[in-house]
Amino acid sequence: MLDQKLIRENPTSVEENLSLRGKVHNISHIHELTVKKKEIDIQVSSLQFESKKLSKLIGQEISKSPNNNSPELYNLKRKGNEYRTKISDLEEQQRTLDKQINSEISNLPNFLSKDAPIGKDENNNVQVKTWGTPLKKQNLKSHWEIGENLNLFESIKSTKISKSRFITLIGNGARLERALINFMLDMHTKNGYLELMPPALVNSESLTGSGQLPKFSNESFKCSNDDLWLSPTAEVPITAFHRNEIIDFKQLPIKYVAYSPCFRREAGSYGRDTKGLIRLHQFNKVELYWFCDPSKSSEAHQKITSDAESILKKLNLPYRLVDICTGDLGFSSSRTFDLEVWLPSSQCYREISSCSNCLDFQARRSSVRTKINKKNTYLHTLNGSGLAIGRTMAAILENGQQSDGSVKIPDALAPYFGSNSLKLS
RNA sequence: GGAGAGGUGGCUGAGUGGUUGAAAGCGGCUCCCUGCUAAGGAGUUACAGGAGGUAACUUUUGUCGAGGGUUCGAAUCCCUCCCUCUCCGCCA
């Protein structure tokens, strides 16, 4: 959520910033509404002041002479009645304006960082660095072929259970998934993150707080009988965990790591990544999340990204770091670094983590603040995958494949998996 | 799902129409006394928003679960919703 005051006082700068996302955002209408609301706020305030004075006066008169029926008293009451009519009329206008302003502002995306590369779409994203040597050989198998050969997961049967884009992990596949979750959680908790295991169902307010609603209701699954949705990412419940709180400044930064299943409708992605573990309606993810001092979010962004990177390094998976351009940035983010892992079968890098600095966008929507110099100030929030489990498994299968059909398990993961090699069992 | 009880400041807990943002206690803060410890005394202490000021601060509005309503005036009366707790049922 953008700052209403800023829209009221400096609408052009807001428009300029948002237009870098590649779409024209005309905010003149919201601007008008905020100005109008401000005027009414001031009127209401002063009318309430007068009316309150009058009520006190009437109270005093009545307590002096309890059976007072004088015309003076009657007139005072009539005057009070006039105040009330005026005030409730203005309050009605306030409510209407509030609703309009809120619904329009909550559809506006976050400000862009001035450091984000300017560009139209994903083709303008900037590769910052690469790590490791991408595996480039002939006759490499895809992870779904490996999965089928080693009997690690099953897609076809899963459509019976649910529908397409769901998967059932089997035997060593399930074991590997579990090992990855534990490995990542252990790494991050040792590194100063507090582990959370939040609810998988979240209410509308939570989704609004982190920016998925109202605009992207199509992208999450909704429970029809309740005001509950299947959480698309742990970012949602973690943001909501501190909704309407004022956090002690000394506690900052608060760093959480959470494993959660994630549910996404993937509307509009028909035909893309239909095989394997890349794009599913349900997947597991270990998420990193910071609540931090607003003056330090830029450093925090570097840190959360390198914390996510550390997992890829430990697993010895080649990857690159990409600075997402303005036209490709997510709704809530002001700047995002994607980590993309090398997938040998398709000879390309695929997103495995997205690390975003949301500034005070989510904190304002969720009202998460801290006191700085006695003033309540919205915190900054950052989130990053550390990492997406299914895609990590895909990367391990493809990068670790051996000529005999087995898969080498990265050394760091072997103790969790219970073996350094994955064979048909 | 059935029955009942309840939501008041950091906490406990009074308060059924009037100058009440709210008694009392606990806790917190400041000072005094006591050579340690324990105890005692005085004072102070809700939150959020707006306006003005570099600032200390001043001023104003709102807030007793949320939202409406009645009234000159609502924590208190009416309506709607949400949540919590207890018992029973069901369940991991």
Side-chain angles (χ1 to χ4, degrees):
Chain A
M1 185 98 80
L2 301 181
D3 186 359
Q4 210 179 111
K5 197 169 171 182
L6 195 66
I7 290 177
R8 196 175 62 233
E9 290 170 0
N10 203 346
T12 11
S13 76
V14 175
E15 271 185 3
E16 278 168 16
N17 185 293
L18 294 188
S19 65
L20 288 175
R21 285 182 180 266
K23 215 179 121 190
V24 182
H25 287 277
N26 185 345
I27 63 159
S28 61
H29 185 235
I30 307 181
H31 175 248
E32 265 172 47
L33 294 177
T34 55
V35 170
K36 203 159 139 197
K37 175 161 179 291
K38 184 73 189 168
E39 282 168 18
I40 292 177
D41 285 349
I42 291 168
Q43 277 183 57
V44 168
S45 217
S46 72
L47 279 172
Q48 278 166 334
F49 176 56
E50 295 300 329
S51 144
K52 245 172 115 166
K53 267 202 305 204
L54 184 65
S55 296
K56 272 184 190 171
L57 184 69
I58 293 173
Q60 280 165 4
E61 291 300 319
I62 291 176
S63 59
K64 263 188 239 162
S65 45
N67 293 318
N68 191 340
N69 279 322
S70 71
E72 286 80 14
L73 190 64
Y74 174 79
N75 279 331
L76 287 181
K77 284 189 183 180
R78 216 182 49 185
K79 202 171 163 201
N81 200 347
E82 281 169 24
Y83 278 130
R84 193 188 67 226
T85 317
K86 270 190 212 163
I87 290 171
S88 53
D89 181 52
L90 286 173
E91 279 175 343
E92 178 68 40
Q93 294 185 45
Q94 268 180 327
R95 280 197 289 272
T96 314
L97 281 172
D98 253 339
K99 266 187 209 154
Q100 287 178 341
I101 291 169
N102 243 310
S103 83
E104 293 202 26
I105 287 193
S106 57
N107 278 303
L108 290 178
N110 198 1
F111 283 126
L112 299 162
S113 161
K114 57 182 185 318
D115 298 322
I118 292 172
K120 213 170 79 198
D121 56 34
E122 59 187 24
N123 298 312
N124 303 114
N125 291 344
V126 175
Q127 176 176 308
V128 177
K129 67 168 183 186
T130 61
W131 185 92
T133 315
L135 180 62
K136 292 183 180 170
K137 268 196 256 171
Q138 296 297 310
N139 302 323
L140 287 169
K141 290 197 184 80
S142 65
H143 70 273
W144 57 89
E145 289 170 301
I146 300 169
E148 195 181 331
N149 294 341
L150 298 180
N151 196 26
L152 300 177
F153 45 81
E154 168 58 66
S155 301
I156 307 295
K157 284 182 194 292
S158 300
T159 63
K160 243 187 339 189
I161 306 175
S162 310
K163 58 187 264 184
S164 65
R165 289 201 192 286
F166 283 89
I167 203 131
T168 305
L169 296 165
I170 304 167
N172 279 331
R175 185 180 187 84
L176 182 55
E177 182 94 355
R178 190 153 53 84
L180 281 167
I181 295 167
N182 281 333
F183 165 69
M184 291 183 198
L185 286 172
D186 280 355
M187 286 277 292
H188 293 306
T189 50
K190 273 182 205 145
N191 194 20
Y193 286 83
L194 178 64
E195 183 176 345
L196 296 183
M197 202 174 279
L201 298 190
V202 296
N203 60 33
S204 300
E205 209 178 335
S206 298
L207 279 166
T208 307
S210 40
Q212 281 77 11
L213 288 179
K215 218 174 169 184
F216 307 104
S217 56
N218 244 344
E219 293 181 14
S220 292
F221 291 101
K222 179 154 177 29
C223 306
S224 61
N225 286 335
D226 301 279
D227 177 32
L228 288 170
W229 307 66
L230 277 70
S231 172
T233 162
E235 176 192 341
V236 176
I238 299 177
T239 310
F241 192 56
H242 288 297
R243 186 166 66 233
N244 294 329
E245 285 184 13
I246 295 173
I247 293 172
D248 184 359
F249 186 79
K250 292 196 289 279
Q251 288 182 15
L252 301 177
I254 299 179
K255 298 155 67 175
Y256 290 121
V257 58
Y259 152 71
S260 81
C262 304
F263 303 89
R264 300 186 182 178
R265 293 191 66 236
E266 298 295 344
S269 68
Y270 305 108
R272 251 190 293 160
D273 306 313
T274 49
K275 286 185 173 171
L277 304 171
I278 299 300
R279 191 178 299 275
L280 297 169
H281 287 310
Q282 173 181 349
F283 62 97
N284 292 311
K285 182 156 62 74
V286 168
E287 181 80 355
L288 305 175
Y289 197 102
W290 289 43
F291 291 91
C292 89
D293 175 352
S295 67
K296 293 188 180 144
S297 66
S298 193
E299 301 151 48
H301 193 201
Q302 300 291 334
K303 189 71 177 68
I304 199 173
T305 307
S306 68
D307 287 342
E309 280 180 76
S310 72
I311 300 288
L312 286 163
K313 287 178 181 167
K314 277 272 182 188
L315 295 176
N316 206 25
L317 295 170
Y319 70 91
R320 66 172 186 169
L321 192 155
V322 176
D323 197 347
I324 302 298
C325 78
T326 52
D328 196 30
L329 271 173
F331 183 76
S332 299
S333 178
S334 78
R335 195 178 188 199
T336 296
F337 297 124
D338 272 6
L339 299 175
E340 299 180 346
V341 72
W342 178 254
L343 285 186
S345 72
S346 45
Q347 292 290 297
C348 71
Y349 288 101
R350 279 312 287 263
E351 177 187 334
I352 196 166
S353 172
S354 192
C355 302
S356 300
N357 183 355
C358 298
L359 304 179
D360 64 3
F361 187 79
Q362 294 177 322
R364 180 174 285 105
R365 289 170 93 98
S366 302
S367 191
V368 188
R369 294 170 291 178
T370 190
K371 265 202 202 313
I372 298 178
N373 295 327
K374 293 188 182 171
K375 290 211 77 164
N376 287 328
T377 313
Y378 291 108
L379 295 176
H380 282 190
T381 61
L382 302 102
N383 65 78
S385 339
L387 308 161
I389 306 295
R391 290 187 179 186
T392 307
M393 189 189 298
I396 286 174
L397 297 181
E398 293 198 6
N399 283 284
Q401 59 181 294
Q402 308 294 311
S403 48
D404 65 357
S406 71
V407 172
K408 183 187 180 317
I409 297 295
D411 292 342
L413 190 64
Y416 288 88
F417 181 64
S419 167
N420 56 11
S421 170
L422 181 52
K423 302 184 178 87
L424 187 60
S425 54

